[in-house]
Amino acid sequence: MNKKLTIENNNDNSMVAQLRAIRDKISLEIMHMNKTQLKSYFKSKTSLFSQEIKKRSKK
């Protein structure tokens, strides 16, 4: 399932509802993971925030 498509389909909903949908999706993905699996899961996820921090630290 495409993450962007899911969020874009929820444009009728409020921002809070969209954030709740994202939270629920992540909760389902990490439900049965152990500690090492969780670490690798979150390391593999990239966000705009982490990309911005990396850009600023290089300057």
Side-chain angles (χ1 to χ4, degrees), residues 7-59:
I7 294 170
E8 288 172 0
N9 285 341
N10 292 334
N11 282 341
D12 298 338
N13 299 334
S14 68
M15 180 63 74
V16 173
Q18 290 181 27
L19 290 172
R20 286 180 181 153
I22 294 168
R23 179 201 60 200
D24 293 341
K25 182 180 173 294
I26 292 171
S27 294
L28 289 174
E29 289 178 354
I30 65 172
M31 186 183 306
H32 299 292
M33 291 185 182
N34 61 28
K35 187 176 181 179
T36 55
Q37 290 172 327
L38 284 172
K39 283 183 179 181
S40 63
Y41 173 82
F42 286 113
K43 282 182 182 178
S44 69
K45 297 294 178 183
T46 58
S47 68
L48 294 176
F49 178 74
S50 62
Q51 292 172 3
E52 185 64 27
I53 296 298
K54 287 177 185 176
K55 284 181 191 176
R56 290 182 185 185
S57 64
K58 289 181 182 178
K59 291 181 181 179

